[in-house]
Amino acid sequence: MNQPVPKVGIVSLGCSKALVDSERILTRLRAEGYDISGSYDGADVVIVNTCGFLDSARAESLEAIGEALAENGKVIVTGCMGGDEAAIRAVHPSVLAVSGPHQYQAVVEAVHAAIPPLHDPKMALVPPEGLHLTPSHYAYLKISEGCNNSCSFCIIPEIRGPLASRPIADVLGEAERLALAGVKELLVISQDTSAYGLDLGYAEGGWHGRQVKTNLTGLADALGDLGIWVRLHYVYPYPHVDEVIPLMAAGKILPYLDIPFQHASPNVLKAMRRPANQDKVLNRIRSWREVCPELAIRSTFIVGFPGETEEDFDNLMGWLEEAQLDRVGCFKYENVKGAPANALADHVDEDEKEERHQRFMEAARQIADERGATKVGTRIEVIIDEVDEEGAIGRSKADSPEVDGAVFINGETDLVPGDVVVVEVEAAEDYDLWGEVVAKVEPKRPTFRR
Ligand code: SF4
């Protein structure tokens, strides 16, 4: 009699880095013959990959564990909040196992204990590029774990450890497998992408007969040979970032930089323990835009940080006006369990935080609206994400999935996700654009140098 195929469900919370951890766990389990279930009742065991960053994320993680326990009963917890097993067991004592971030082996062992694998693992069930939870036309490419910085509001270095870069040949090999499997856009992620390779002494690795340095420029240049969209996230404005801007201007990688500035006031940046020279950063942004006028800059900020005065906030608003960022996210400061910032004096009142958040987001929206209006009448390349009976929805080169704007193409129902088209922009509002397809862009071939 055939043994029933064991089934695993997963709930993946938190950031894109946690999503990559979930993908790695699923890839391992699928290689061992497990099936993946999309529902609680169809699964023999459920993995909850938690986020432990903000207090609100911890509450959401505990809620998700409770829901999985109520719906399924067999629950394995992993991820950032897993580093605090006592807090999880205090609320949910019946979880089967708890492990911290990127402890893939511990999760797989806990799954084995809960529901043993088949005797004959079906390796062929796993595609060579691994399993992905994102739509198949884009994928996250995680280049390192951990972080060497010590921002006072953050406990990532404590839970994920210092910077640990993946060797360049591993990263490029994964990127190439993804491109061969049909991925059209790679989103490069880490905690600090500009620091890539520092811990490996920027060692060289072989790829297609050439030596590539394990650093941001080497990585961006080599990924640019794949012939697909490549987008850089979590880049810090260090001087060597200047080197990737000409690659953007030449069309090798997308003219897009996600730089988490967090604030602009020197006092607040100092309290955050982050580099505090935003005037230099403004000059750098100006020079980048001279080299690559198409460059879109996305950033995130924290308002209401302990000690932030009205003057500090005005400083931030003035800086935002000068920097003219294309895409902006903003968080109201929250304590993070174990972070040094919790002990700082002069925490900002919640109403004040809310008021500053609204003022900031309104200013950012106006900037985006004005920058969007300059695109009306121009032609831009758009990658398609979704198609339904009303038309297609895609993104421009200035828009990363999940976090940025969209391009709406009404009536265009013959496209498929991953198609790249040229759109004439007819209207713009806030972060979104509307337009009409004028041409289809043929996929590019890889241009490996030998
Ligand atoms: S750069 Fe700062 S905020 Fe980002 S992970 Fe490192 S310590 Fe945390």
Side-chain angles (χ1 to χ4, degrees):
M1 207 174 74
N2 280 348
Q3 205 185 337
V5 177
K7 290 202 175 93
V8 180
I10 193 158
V11 178
S12 192
L13 303 171
C15 62
S16 47
K17 279 136 315 204
L19 187 70
V20 172
D21 285 353
S22 297
E23 290 175 344
R24 290 204 182 141
I25 291 166
L26 288 188
T27 300
R28 275 281 300 278
L29 292 170
R30 190 84 177 109
E32 293 181 352
Y34 287 88
D35 238 346
I36 311 304
S37 169
S39 66
Y40 287 122
D41 51 1
D44 297 302
V45 64
V46 176
I47 300 165
V48 181
N49 189 359
T50 57
C51 176
F53 192 52
L54 298 170
D55 285 354
S56 53
R58 291 168 65 85
E60 191 194 348
S61 295
L62 288 173
E63 202 179 303
I65 297 167
E67 188 181 306
L69 279 171
E71 298 284 331
N72 181 282
K74 280 189 174 175
V75 176
I76 292 165
V77 178
T78 189
C80 287
M81 197 184 167
D84 191 356
E85 182 169 353
I88 293 167
R89 292 214 178 266
V91 183
H92 300 299
S94 63
V95 294
L96 299 177
V98 180
S99 56
H102 45 269
Q103 292 185 345
Y104 316 122
Q105 188 58 31
V107 179
V108 170
E109 281 168 13
V111 172
H112 290 172
I115 167 103
L118 290 177
H119 294 305
D120 175 23
K122 294 182 175 56
M123 293 300 292
L125 293 176
V126 184
E129 75 280 8
L131 291 178
H132 287 269
L133 296 169
T134 44
S136 59
H137 62 288
Y138 66 83
Y140 293 101
L141 183 67
K142 195 181 199 180
I143 59 169
S144 60
E145 299 281 1
C147 178
N148 284 350
N149 301 322
S150 51
C151 304
S152 61
F153 53 85
C154 179
I155 52 166
I156 297 263
E158 208 176 300
I159 44 185
R160 295 203 166 225
L163 176 72
S165 303
R166 293 175 63 199
I168 188 87
D170 281 12
V171 175
L172 293 176
E174 182 182 344
E176 192 175 347
R177 284 192 295 281
L178 289 165
L180 285 170
V183 165
K184 300 290 191 301
E185 179 177 1
L186 285 175
L187 308 152
V188 175
I189 56 164
S190 69
Q191 304 297 343
D192 180 355
T193 295
S194 21
Y196 177 56
L198 176 70
D199 53 314
L200 300 179
Y202 306 119
E204 289 189 340
W207 192 59
H208 287 283
R210 66 169 162 134
Q211 292 296 303
V212 182
K213 264 199 170 175
T214 307
N215 67 12
L216 178 64
T217 312
L219 175 75
D221 186 42
L223 291 176
D225 286 346
L226 291 171
I228 58 176
W229 283 19
V230 174
R231 194 181 290 284
L232 301 180
H233 280 279
Y234 313 116
V235 175
Y236 286 73
Y238 301 133
H240 68 272
V241 174
D242 296 358
E243 293 171 18
V244 298
I245 309 297
L247 298 175
M248 296 178 178
K252 286 203 80 174
I253 61 169
L254 292 180
Y256 179 98
L257 275 178
D258 172 12
I259 308 177
F261 289 116
Q262 310 297 14
H263 214 280
S265 154
N267 297 333
V268 177
L269 286 167
K270 197 164 160 221
M272 288 178 166
R273 297 194 200 147
R274 293 176 67 88
N277 201 332
Q278 294 311 80
D279 288 343
K280 263 198 184 160
V281 172
L282 275 182
N283 288 336
R284 177 154 287 129
I285 291 174
R286 280 188 205 107
S287 69
W288 290 343
R289 285 185 170 141
E290 275 165 28
V291 177
C292 181
E294 233 200 308
L295 176 66
I297 301 177
R298 168 187 175 75
S299 188
T300 46
F301 294 85
I302 298 174
V303 293
F305 193 77
E308 181 191 70
T309 61
E310 194 56 37
E311 199 185 336
D312 292 321
F313 181 69
D314 285 346
N315 186 322
L316 171 62
M317 294 288 273
W319 189 87
L320 181 71
E321 187 60 38
E322 287 268 325
Q324 290 284 301
L325 303 182
D326 301 82
R327 307 280 182 251
V328 167
C330 178
F331 301 95
K332 288 176 274 179
Y333 172 81
E334 263 185 57
N335 277 346
V336 173
K337 191 166 178 263
N342 304 356
L344 290 173
D346 302 324
H347 278 245
V348 178
D349 178 84
E350 286 303 320
D351 290 344
E352 188 65 52
K353 276 188 211 170
E354 177 60 35
E355 200 256 338
R356 288 179 189 171
H357 182 260
Q358 284 183 18
R359 277 163 64 197
F360 185 86
M361 287 314 286
E362 176 52 22
R365 190 197 58 74
Q366 275 181 27
I367 292 171
D369 201 37
E370 285 160 21
R371 291 180 77 79
T374 65
K375 295 197 176 136
V376 175
T378 66
R379 292 181 173 193
I380 57 170
E381 283 188 20
V382 171
I383 191 164
I384 302 300
D385 282 332
E386 279 176 60
V387 184
D388 61 22
E389 63 282 358
E390 285 178 26
I393 305 176
R395 285 173 292 109
S396 73
K397 292 178 177 176
D399 301 300
S400 193
E402 313 284 340
V403 289
D404 293 329
V407 181
F408 295 91
I409 313 167
N410 293 337
E412 201 64 57
T413 54
D414 290 338
L415 299 169
V416 294
D419 279 348
V420 178
V421 290
V422 178
V423 167
E424 180 153 320
V425 181
E426 293 166 336
E429 192 178 333
D430 298 346
Y431 295 95
D432 298 328
L433 301 172
W434 284 257
E436 190 171 87
V437 173
V438 291
K440 201 165 168 187
V441 178
E442 288 309 315
K444 286 189 198 151
R445 291 181 164 279
T447 53
F448 302 123
R449 277 181 239 144
R450 290 176 188 275

